[in-house]
Amino acid sequence: MLIAGKRVTSENCGNLTVIEGVKGKVKFDPATNTLTLENASIINKEEKASGFGLWTSIKDLKIKLIGENTITSEKRGGMVNYEKLTFTGEGKLTITGAMSGNEDYCYGFLNPGSVVVDGCTLEISGGVTGITSGRWKFNKCNVRIKGGGTTKDEFKGSIGRVGYVPEFTDCKIVTPTGTEWKKLEKSGYVYYSLFANDKVVTDWVTIKPENATPENYNMLICGKRVTSENCGDLTVIDGVKGKAIFDAATNTLTLENATIAATGDKDAGLWTSVKNMTIKLIGENTISSDKRGALVNYDKLTFAGEGKLTITGAKSGNEDYCYGILNPGSIVVDGCTLEISGGVNGITSGRWKFNKCNVRIKGNGTTKDEFKGSIGRVSYVPEFTDCSIVTPEGTEWKKLDKSGYIYYSLFGSNGKVVTDWVTIQPKGAETTYDLVLEEVGEREIAVIAIVKDITGMGMMAVKKLIATAPCIIKENMTEEEAKAARDRLLEVGAKANIYPHGTWKPTGISVQTIDAKENVIYTLQGVRLNAKFDNLPAGVYIVNGKKVLKK
């Protein structure tokens, strides 16, 4: 046996912490072939053949787990076994192999022998393969396994190229769902890998005892609790579409082209008190709630990733719930893109930090509280790193000291709380523009063709859009693109203009007398509203087929 690259001998087996990289309580009993790990840590940073965390060819070895334990190799596989090995005990062991470098060594556990996991808890991961080779038996245990896979071999992943289909006794794979074992015969050898949706699994594979009580996490999505059973595929919750996964090991919620839409009277889109949670954004994502705030955070939350997230809270109804994000905790927006809006407050409460990000925030405010608006009643003046508020210009933070509590709200140069879009951009970022169609003119067919080309929208969608003119045709264009598109519309007799992103406000629409008994109200985007016109926030609506300005 080698631990952290050093041979286990009769001299050091009674206290293996004499080996560099070994901490806690680690001892090997040769009489019973038992290696006991008690709150132990084994770390190997070497990159040579001896760089494994643990290497063994001892026959009938038992590893007894007490407390929390880790075996880690930074540049080789986490663990290698050539004989029969059994994991026992009530503790937990986390085995982590190399995450990058030579792909042949980026595995959590290589097992040319036989491994039995008997009633204990393991977490195994590697950059390419989680577990690989040999025979595996899982007996009433809790195990999580992950391998990132590789483009060089479609059979390498979380459970890749094992010698036999693993055996499960009083336990089963609970996530991901819909998995199957695929067989590979090559050069006279037979291997099996775990697949889902015709691809090798590279997400966390979770094995749980049969009839085990699910672990509840401090998160609700569309009013439903996130648990150890549904976290691997949150689309099992009504209102969730796309790809949404929560990894409890890293407290990371990954949203990839996902939609979370809460419609219940008491349901936020996302409510969390998970400690040090990260929301990783990939692609275009949305979180919304029809009748409550869209997102509530009670601990530390970080938004990260290269994607975008649009967060939309209730626009009408009980004003206490008409917010985009309520944050009694702390939120960091780190380099990603957010758009947040609510009927009264955009964001409110808590501590906010914006790091080199693109963010737009809007709240329409209320006559009942002059401090509620786009950024209203936050607990501290937000911090900005390598980014700043670019619109509206001339804003300032006003302090409210009430009943022993201190709040801050963003006010405009007019002395009122900001209720327009607040735009935060990285320093030195190029200003983008919105293309506005003010009047269609007499050549409607030509205008439709141009707008269809600019937006990529279908014919019927374009007709509905231009019927609402004045309206925004396309947002976030470069100045050159926006001017070129504007000029095309001007050439066919339409009236069009461009505005710095988020600054255009519709004008010239008269307030009309509304018959409350006959109201059929839509937003300019075609979404029908059930609220009374008097209860709607300021804006432009289609009421009984006519465009109406609500002040």
Side-chain angles (χ1 to χ4, degrees):
M1 187 192 311
L2 299 176
I3 290 182
K6 303 299 181 184
R7 177 74 61 181
V8 175
T9 69
S10 58
E11 288 189 348
N12 64 17
C13 66
N15 180 14
L16 290 163
T17 61
V18 297
I19 296 174
E20 185 178 354
V22 181
K23 296 180 180 179
K25 187 176 181 179
V26 185
K27 62 180 182 179
F28 174 65
D29 181 359
T32 60
N33 281 347
T34 300
L35 175 67
T36 300
L37 303 179
E38 184 174 351
N39 297 313
S41 171
I42 298 172
I43 300 176
N44 196 341
K45 300 181 180 181
E46 297 296 322
E47 56 184 340
K48 298 179 181 179
S50 58
F52 306 104
L54 172 61
W55 183 99
T56 176
S57 61
I58 292 176
K59 189 175 182 179
D60 292 327
L61 176 69
K62 291 183 179 62
I63 297 181
K64 183 178 179 181
L65 304 176
I66 302 171
E68 296 278 339
N69 305 276
T70 61
I71 296 176
T72 306
S73 176
E74 294 187 355
K75 298 173 182 176
R76 293 290 193 194
M79 189 165 168
V80 180
N81 168 63
Y82 275 90
E83 267 286 345
K84 182 179 178 182
L85 166 64
T86 301
F87 289 98
T88 66
E90 297 181 357
K92 178 182 178 181
L93 174 59
T94 300
I95 302 170
T96 307
M99 291 298 166
S100 60
N102 188 327
E103 290 191 356
D104 291 339
Y105 298 109
C106 289
Y107 54 79
F109 200 134
L110 171 65
N111 172 42
S114 172
V115 171
V116 178
V117 185
D118 192 13
C120 53
T121 301
L122 298 186
E123 185 169 296
I124 308 168
S125 61
V128 174
T129 307
I131 64 174
T132 186
S133 288
R135 187 184 296 274
W136 295 82
K137 295 183 180 181
F138 299 96
N139 299 335
K140 203 173 184 178
C141 53
N142 289 277
V143 179
R144 298 177 77 236
I145 308 165
K146 188 179 191 308
T150 172
T151 56
K152 298 176 181 178
D153 188 331
E154 64 175 346
F155 273 76
K156 289 185 177 181
S158 297
I159 304 180
R161 288 179 170 262
V162 292
Y164 304 84
V165 173
E167 299 178 35
F168 298 90
T169 303
D170 294 330
C171 61
K172 62 181 180 180
I173 294 174
V174 295
T175 60
T177 57
T179 57
E180 62 175 330
W181 297 100
K182 283 202 173 182
K183 182 179 179 180
L184 169 66
E185 293 188 47
K186 192 172 183 180
S187 303
Y189 293 94
V190 177
Y191 303 101
Y192 297 87
S193 294
L194 188 65
F195 274 62
N197 300 318
D198 291 326
K199 292 183 179 180
V200 69
V201 174
T202 55
D203 293 326
W204 283 104
V205 175
T206 303
I207 300 168
K208 289 280 187 182
E210 300 257 7
N211 304 316
T213 302
E215 184 177 356
N216 291 326
Y217 304 127
N218 293 327
M219 190 191 323
L220 300 174
I221 291 181
C222 295
K224 302 298 182 184
R225 177 73 62 179
V226 175
T227 71
S228 55
E229 287 192 339
N230 63 19
C231 66
D233 181 10
L234 291 165
T235 61
V236 298
I237 296 175
D238 287 342
V240 182
K241 297 180 180 179
K243 186 175 181 181
I245 298 169
F246 178 64
D247 179 2
T250 60
N251 285 344
T252 300
L253 174 66
T254 299
L255 301 178
E256 183 173 352
N257 297 314
T259 299
I260 297 174
T263 57
D265 289 342
K266 299 180 180 180
D267 298 337
L270 171 63
W271 182 100
T272 175
S273 63
V274 174
K275 189 174 182 180
N276 293 327
M277 179 169 153
T278 298
I279 296 180
K280 182 180 179 181
L281 303 175
I282 303 170
E284 297 279 339
N285 305 276
T286 62
I287 297 176
S288 64
S289 177
D290 286 349
K291 297 167 184 172
R292 293 274 165 162
L295 195 152
V296 182
N297 169 61
Y298 274 90
D299 210 281
K300 182 178 178 182
L301 169 64
T302 299
F303 291 98
E306 297 181 356
K308 178 182 178 181
L309 174 59
T310 300
I311 300 169
T312 308
K315 299 296 184 184
S316 61
N318 187 328
E319 290 191 354
D320 291 340
Y321 300 111
C322 290
Y323 53 79
I325 297 181
L326 170 66
N327 173 40
S330 172
I331 288 181
V332 178
V333 185
D334 192 14
C336 54
T337 301
L338 300 186
E339 185 169 297
I340 309 163
S341 62
V344 174
N345 275 315
I347 64 174
T348 186
S349 279
R351 188 184 295 272
W352 295 80
K353 295 182 180 182
F354 299 95
N355 299 334
K356 204 173 184 178
C357 53
N358 288 278
V359 180
R360 298 179 72 228
I361 307 167
K362 190 179 191 312
N364 295 316
T366 171
T367 57
K368 298 177 183 178
D369 189 331
E370 65 174 347
F371 273 76
K372 291 184 176 181
S374 297
I375 304 180
R377 287 180 171 263
V378 293
S379 303
Y380 304 86
V381 173
E383 299 178 34
F384 298 89
T385 303
D386 293 329
C387 61
S388 61
I389 293 174
V390 295
T391 60
E393 296 180 351
T395 57
E396 63 174 329
W397 296 99
K398 284 200 175 181
K399 180 179 178 181
L400 169 66
D401 192 340
K402 189 173 183 180
S403 304
Y405 293 95
I406 295 176
Y407 304 98
Y408 296 87
S409 294
L410 188 66
F411 274 63
S413 57
N414 60 359
K416 295 182 179 180
V417 69
V418 175
T419 55
D420 294 328
W421 283 103
V422 175
T423 303
I424 300 167
Q425 288 184 344
K427 290 183 178 179
E430 180 182 1
T431 300
T432 60
Y433 291 83
D434 298 337
L435 172 65
V436 174
L437 176 65
E438 296 175 344
E439 290 183 17
V440 175
E442 297 182 357
R443 298 177 61 186
E444 181 180 354
I445 294 176
V447 171
I448 289 173
I450 292 170
V451 173
K452 187 172 180 291
D453 182 55
I454 291 169
T455 63
M457 296 167 60
M459 182 72 72
M460 294 306 297
V462 170
K463 284 185 176 181
K464 289 180 181 179
L465 176 62
I466 69 171
T468 66
C471 60
I472 293 176
I473 296 299
K474 189 172 181 180
E475 295 182 295
N476 278 317
M477 304 174 74
T478 67
E479 185 175 10
E480 183 179 354
E481 290 172 338
K483 285 181 177 180
R486 175 201 62 191
D487 292 346
R488 290 179 65 188
L489 290 168
L490 293 175
E491 286 174 2
V492 297
K495 288 186 178 181
N497 214 332
I498 66 172
Y499 298 82
H501 179 56
T503 63
W504 177 76
K505 292 186 289 186
T507 58
I509 302 172
S510 300
V511 177
Q512 301 180 19
T513 302
I514 303 299
D515 183 355
K517 295 181 182 179
E518 301 295 333
N519 274 356
V520 179
I521 306 173
Y522 290 86
T523 67
L524 292 183
Q525 290 73 38
V527 178
R528 183 164 181 171
L529 302 176
N530 295 321
K532 294 181 179 179
F533 185 78
D534 290 342
N535 294 334
L536 292 174
V540 182
Y541 301 91
I542 307 299
V543 183
N544 299 334
K546 296 180 180 180
K547 188 180 297 182
V548 178
L549 174 66
K550 173 71 163 38
K551 291 186 176 180

